[in-house]
Amino acid sequence: MKVTVLSGGVGGARFTRGLLSLLGERAHVTVVANTGDDLWLHGVRVCPDLDTLMYTLGGAVHEEQGWGRRDETRRTSDDLAAYGLGWEWFTLGDLDLATHLARTELLRTGLPLSQVTARLAERWAPRVTLLPMTDDEVETHVVTADGQEIHFEEWWVRHRATLPAARFVQTNLATAAPAPGVLAALTEADVVVVPPSNPVVSVGTILAIPGVRDALRTSSAPVVGVSPVIGGAPVRGMADACLTAIGVETSAVAVARHYGRRPDGVLDAWLVDERDADAADALRSEGWIAGAAPTLMTDVPTTARIAADALALVGALP
Ligand code: GDP
Ligand code: CA
């Protein structure tokens, strides 16, 4: 059985870990990761979502934080600060920095990001095929209400998503192409899962890569999503700021309608939290396949059950 997941960072990585625990050897999982958050910081290429996936699935993630390495230290960034240099608003731990240096070195030899990612993932054995959405440098920028354009990570990390955002734009989008294997992972899958990732700047960015949305719309695989919104709030973090910026209400039903039902939209089915059972009822009355169940990813066994409930909605539970 072939399962493909369209993932951002923490939400997608945790979901995928549960999915792997559920499926074991019965399936091959491909993860198409958002790379719109990637940035060059003082000469090194940082790929936040790819790294969160790699560390989470490789057993090295800082569990409480959800991203970065366990047992991390900050000696390098502290020492850079002593020169009055470095990354003022973006934390780069020492161990994490090794990943960025390794990635940058491989990119400088001319390898595309997809091959670099495969090479880095060899060490972490994430038990999935990990694909960046594109090998091109597509970056999500935020156009603020006063007309400035800044990198998404600067808006998110430095400004804690408090600067009013007018819209999100992706650089180089028109000329970007899906990375090798991405379209096939969507069209040749037995089931595609949209995990509880940020619908705007994680999954939305992947869908914006030319060809991806159409591949999903027309794939013969069923597509099931899990709501990243529980009880009118993003469970962790500030994803409501992204939804608000694009005029979508922060509710399980509004996010489903934003993705839309195939063939015009990208989903067939939507799993909401048990607290949002009325959202599932409303969607069913509009013709959706919808279910309600606990969706808080508190630990791996609980997350495996969420994955099972999602797959069961589209009859894809092996
Ligand atoms: P990021 O790139 O690290 O922001 O991670 P993602 O895009 O993968 O997902 C972040 C989103 O996942 C958050 O904004 C939440 O809406 C959602 N999320 C996080 N934890 C949970 C959880 O336990 N359950 C559900 N249903 N959603 C979650
Ligand atoms: Ca992210």
Side-chain angles (χ1 to χ4, degrees):
M1 180 178 170
K2 289 189 269 188
V3 186
T4 298
V5 181
L6 302 186
S7 177
V10 179
R14 286 197 170 147
F15 179 86
T16 303
R17 190 169 56 176
L19 181 73
L20 287 172
S21 155
L22 171 75
L23 297 174
E25 301 299 310
R26 289 176 292 175
H28 183 81
V29 177
T30 300
V31 178
V32 176
N34 170 46
T35 54
D37 299 2
D38 296 10
L39 70 171
W40 285 102
L41 271 182
H42 299 268
V44 295
R45 189 66 173 164
V46 181
C47 300
D49 291 357
L50 280 172
D51 289 346
T52 297
L53 281 155
M54 212 162 62
Y55 299 154
T56 303
L57 302 177
V61 78
H62 187 297
E63 198 62 49
E64 294 74 42
Q65 189 169 262
W67 51 272
R69 294 278 299 277
R70 200 171 39 225
D71 303 323
E72 183 60 289
T73 50
R74 296 202 186 143
R75 298 188 67 203
T76 307
S77 48
D78 288 351
D79 214 55
L80 274 164
Y83 290 104
L85 295 170
W87 308 275
E88 285 163 27
W89 52 271
F90 199 91
T91 312
L92 290 184
D94 298 324
L95 300 175
D96 200 28
L97 197 49
T99 302
H100 309 318
L101 289 171
R103 171 184 295 121
T104 304
E105 178 182 342
L106 292 168
L107 286 170
R108 287 217 171 114
T109 67
L111 286 176
L113 181 63
S114 50
Q115 285 180 37
V116 172
T117 300
R119 172 73 178 73
L120 298 180
E122 276 173 25
R123 169 181 174 195
W124 298 106
R127 297 184 295 145
V128 300
T129 299
L130 184 56
L131 300 176
M133 63 185 190
T134 178
D135 279 332
D136 299 311
E137 284 188 12
V138 173
E139 295 183 347
T140 302
H141 288 187
V142 179
V143 180
T144 61
D146 59 6
Q148 291 180 67
E149 186 174 321
I150 58 175
H151 192 286
F152 170 72
E153 288 290 335
E154 187 174 357
W155 181 73
W156 189 250
V157 178
R158 184 182 199 170
H159 298 290
R160 311 296 302 163
T162 54
L163 281 184
R167 59 201 166 90
F168 299 95
V169 292
Q170 284 91 24
T171 62
N172 298 324
L173 196 60
T175 53
V182 167
L183 295 183
L186 298 174
T187 55
E188 293 168 14
D190 295 303
V191 58
V192 178
V193 187
V194 176
S197 278
N198 189 311
V200 185
V201 294
S202 293
V203 181
T205 307
I206 302 173
L207 294 175
I209 298 299
V212 170
R213 181 182 289 275
D214 281 342
L216 198 53
R217 282 181 46 242
T218 56
S219 172
S220 57
V223 185
V224 56
V226 180
S227 178
V229 172
I230 300 181
V235 191
R236 297 180 180 88
M238 314 165 282
D240 50 329
C242 303
L243 287 164
T244 305
I246 64 159
V248 174
E249 184 189 84
T250 303
S251 73
V253 84
V255 173
R257 289 189 188 128
H258 170 66
Y259 281 131
R261 267 172 72 208
R262 298 197 300 167
D264 301 324
V266 295
L267 295 175
D268 299 311
W270 189 237
L271 182 68
V272 302
D273 191 78
E274 55 188 347
R275 275 173 270 176
D276 296 312
D278 53 339
D281 292 340
L283 290 169
R284 269 195 298 269
S285 72
E286 292 168 24
W288 286 75
I289 300 168
T295 67
L296 203 53
M297 300 185 285
T298 46
D299 55 28
V300 176
T302 308
T303 309
R305 266 196 301 280
I306 300 169
D309 287 333
L311 294 184
L313 270 186
V314 289
L317 192 60

